[in-house]
Amino acid sequence: MELKIELTRQPKEKPADENKLSFGHIFTDHMFVMDWDKEHGWHDAKIVPFAPILMSPAATCLHYGQEVFEGMKAYRTESGEIRLFRPQENFRRMNESHDRICIPKFDEAFLLEALKKLIEIDADWVPHTYGTSLYIRPFTIGTEESLGAHSSTKYKFLIIMSPSGAYYEGGLAPVKIYVETKYVRATPGGTGFAKTGGNYAASLKAQDVAAEEGYSQVLWLDGVHRKYVEEVGAMNVFFVLGDEIVTPELDGSILSGITRKSAVEILRSWGYKVSERALDIQELVDAYHAGTLKEAFGTGTAAVISPIGELKYNDLVMEINHNEIGEISQRLYDELTGIQWGKVEDRFNWIVKVK
Ligand SMILES: *Cc1c(COP(=O)(O)O)cnc(C)c1O
């Protein structure tokens, strides 16, 4: 497929102070757009100036939530190189989400090349300060003008990009997590493994309740037994139990995080015993009382590693590792961010250079 390019004639001011960049409010000069219809399949791929998109108020995505998204980052190294972290994994996962939400699949290799081109064009938007990055949001929406509740006959695939600040402004810090016992995020047979907006819509209520109680995110339990640990907000979760590191197995209702996968590979390469298995919340409570719950942390593209300092389950408040960053959490954080920002050797071949 051909990629058309139309450059902006009105480049925007770049953010003056990179230390004040927050997340997801500023967008670069260009975006990628591609359309799908029955006659042409995916077609009309182009890079155009960032601008509002025009669609019918009857577009299917606005009514029945036919939407899929991804989240990834471009990093600038000290020597000025711009690079991506395992982007093939994001496009592969996006196609799996497409399949679940009934959106036609796309050519992953073509999209990676298109993304590299987009970043190259907006290269000056990749921030320079260590810890900052260019957040990349590919997403697909159903755009057919129809109120019929069926899968759309038209789609739009877009990539927008946003320079974002360091996740931990004051350095890595533990968070407080609330174990959700009333609401569920996903169920077997549902869409939990897909990165789709509907999962987020369903999770906002619990997030609000947790925030009111002073907790930053929710730990989800499984939707059937209400006792197996699933994930934390928009992160996968790991627990150090004695000399075993446990993360819930991917059972269809958990999002298959790329940071999760990378963490498992790194930990195993260091010789740790990592188990992907069912984890009953009661096992965590017992480990806490026995003193073997040593560390807990979340993994995701945004925070990379998020140490958990406190876990509240019903009336039990469990302080983990004295509410301090654990040794394994810190080491993993340093290794992953080191690989991403080019300070540690890329021994797994995870980095894809843009320029
Ligand atoms: C994106 C996401 C994650 C983390 O995935 P990464 O690929 O590591 O960024 C975890 N859980 C949910 C629900 C997510 O949407």
Side-chain angles (χ1 to χ4, degrees), residues 32-233:
F32 170 85
V33 191
M34 170 172 89
D35 290 294
W36 188 93
D37 64 32
K38 283 198 160 139
E39 199 186 332
H40 306 93
W42 285 112
H43 66 284
D44 204 13
K46 56 196 179 198
I47 289 171
V48 292
F50 180 92
I53 52 173
L54 207 56
M55 62 182 171
S56 166
T60 50
C61 65
L62 300 175
H63 302 273
Y64 307 116
Q66 214 186 355
E67 188 263 3
V68 152
F69 70 95
E70 267 304 325
M72 58 216 279
K73 285 172 171 177
Y75 310 83
R76 187 190 292 276
T77 66
E78 231 161 40
S79 62
E81 185 182 293
I82 296 172
R83 36 178 32 213
L84 295 159
F85 182 75
R86 312 187 83 174
Q88 302 92 336
E89 297 280 343
N90 290 90
F91 287 125
R92 183 184 316 150
R93 181 172 69 190
M94 192 170 183
N95 255 339
E96 282 166 14
S97 301
H98 270 212
D99 185 60
R100 179 62 182 85
I101 308 298
C102 284
I103 301 175
K105 292 194 180 183
F106 57 89
D107 178 341
E108 292 164 26
F110 174 78
L111 254 293
L112 180 54
E113 287 314 306
L115 171 61
K116 283 192 199 163
K117 189 79 209 166
L118 178 63
I119 298 169
E120 225 181 286
I121 289 171
D122 280 341
D124 289 347
W125 285 89
V126 182
H128 300 71
T129 313
Y130 185 62
T132 62
S133 59
L134 182 69
Y135 185 78
I136 299 161
R137 168 55 57 86
F139 65 105
T140 315
I141 50 176
T143 51
E144 182 190 350
E145 184 176 41
S146 165
L147 295 181
H150 52 75
S151 61
S152 182
T153 57
K154 283 189 178 143
Y155 297 92
K156 232 179 224 319
F157 184 130
L158 295 99
I159 304 176
I160 55 175
M161 307 195 295
S162 173
S164 68
Y167 192 86
Y168 297 101
E169 273 170 38
L172 193 62
V175 293
K176 291 167 69 177
I177 302 291
Y178 179 96
V179 181
E180 179 55 54
T181 52
K182 180 176 177 192
Y183 301 105
V184 297
R185 185 191 89 95
T187 50
T191 57
F193 71 88
K195 224 168 162 77
T196 179
N199 290 340
Y200 280 77
S203 72
L204 297 175
K205 187 81 185 170
Q207 182 64 41
D208 278 3
V209 173
E212 269 168 34
E213 295 219 14
Y215 288 83
S216 70
Q217 291 203 44
V218 163
L219 184 143
W220 298 103
L221 297 178
D222 80 283
V224 177
H225 310 92
R226 305 290 188 95
K227 65 177 189 181
Y228 295 108
V229 171
E230 298 231 304
E231 51 184 315
V232 167

Side-chain angles (χ1 to χ4, degrees), residues 240-266:
V240 182
L241 301 172
D243 58 7
E244 182 192 17
I245 304 175
V246 183
T247 189
E249 66 194 324
L250 302 174
D251 61 353
S253 57
I254 295 175
L255 201 288
S256 169
I258 294 155
T259 322
R260 173 192 182 280
K261 181 176 178 173
S262 308
V264 169
E265 290 172 52
I266 290 173

Side-chain angles (χ1 to χ4, degrees), residues 22 26 29 52 65 85 87 89 132 142 172 192 210 238 244 274 278 292 302 306 314 319 326:
S22 58
I26 302 168
D29 282 324
F85 182 75
E89 297 280 343
T132 62
L172 193 62
F238 288 69
E244 182 192 17
V274 184
T292 52
S306 187
N314 294 325
E319 199 188 56

